[in-house]
Amino acid sequence: EDSFAEKFLDNTFNVFKSIDNILYLVYTNSYNSIICYNLLDNKKINEIKNAHLYSISNFRYIYDKENKRDLILSISRKEDNAKLWNIKNLECLVNIININEADYLLSGCFLKHKNDNYIVTINCSYPYNYEIIKIFDFEGNKLKQISQCNYPTNFIESYYDNKSLKSYIITGCDGFVKSYDYNKNRIYHFYSDGNNNDGHFSIIINNAEETIKLIGSSYDGKIRIWNFHSGELILKIIVSSNKLYGICLWNNEYLFVGEKEIKLIDLKNGIIVND
């Protein structure tokens, strides 16, 4: 009941099973705290009070395999600030401040590249001052940037292809989704659907089958599924006349969609199961 989330944003909380086999829920409250909750025992484990100066807008989780630790990335949109935390001892490993010159740090994620993990950030500034994608290491050093990002960007995600051993960055923009080849530092594909100019605010990669699928939600009330490597539009599902936000795979056949109510989508048949 004490949870807090900003409107219109995805990844406002995180659920993961830790190295200690604890099922964690990590969320924030109105006092900018980070709260670690045990879902099985139904109780709070820890709380990092005043973790940021302003409200926490996003969380991301990664298991640091090399160092055998569970890590959380917390982002404060208004503060333009990202922090990396070790969940085991609540230690703040890095505090990246003043990431952008203008406007908000709207979204961030982890990026796997070979045996290393990085932090990726993007801002969103309307109607100008679009800033480039920035990549940081776990020490807070800016290692790289991708300059071909000159459009309002609402969401950022990453994907590591285990077959090709390549890393990709994916952005949800107004009217399309765009992917970048991290190795070559250039645009990989545009994913669009005609004259749709609505924003894309959540993206998932489903790599369970031979065809790697990119699934995105849009403000026009539709779910779109593209072939990630070819850019081909595979399926378009009309969910609602309302804006769609966060999406979450239940399994390879079904998808949860955040609207006014949570809806379950049959991905193979393109229908709503619980309208």
Side-chain angles (χ1 to χ4, degrees), residues 6-22:
E6 292 197 22
K7 295 188 295 182
F8 315 126
L9 299 178
D10 201 359
N11 298 304
T12 56
F13 62 90
N14 244 185
V15 175
F16 63 92
K17 182 172 285 188
S18 72
I19 189 175
D20 300 323
N21 208 34
I22 298 174

Side-chain angles (χ1 to χ4, degrees), residues 24 62 70 75-76 85 90 128 143 154 170 195 218 235 247 250 265:
Y24 274 95
I62 193 171
D70 299 296
I75 294 172
S76 177
W85 306 86
L90 304 184
Y128 47 83
L143 301 179
N154 311 306
I170 307 159
N195 296 319
S218 175
L235 184 64
I247 54 178
W250 186 16
I265 308 298

Side-chain angles (χ1 to χ4, degrees), residues 52-69:
H52 287 265
L53 294 176
Y54 295 97
S55 59
I56 300 171
S57 45
N58 307 93
F59 288 106
R60 291 299 185 111
Y61 164 78
I62 193 171
Y63 174 62
D64 184 1
K65 187 176 181 180
E66 183 176 350
N67 297 296
K68 297 182 180 180
R69 56 186 182 177

Side-chain angles (χ1 to χ4, degrees), residues 7-44:
K7 295 188 295 182
F8 315 126
L9 299 178
D10 201 359
N11 298 304
T12 56
F13 62 90
N14 244 185
V15 175
F16 63 92
K17 182 172 285 188
S18 72
I19 189 175
D20 300 323
N21 208 34
I22 298 174
L23 189 59
Y24 274 95
L25 165 66
V26 175
Y27 67 95
T28 185
N29 59 20
S30 59
Y31 299 102
N32 312 328
S33 296
I34 296 175
I35 298 169
C36 302
Y37 193 91
N38 188 321
L39 281 174
L40 297 182
D41 292 343
N42 197 31
K43 65 180 182 181
K44 290 182 182 180

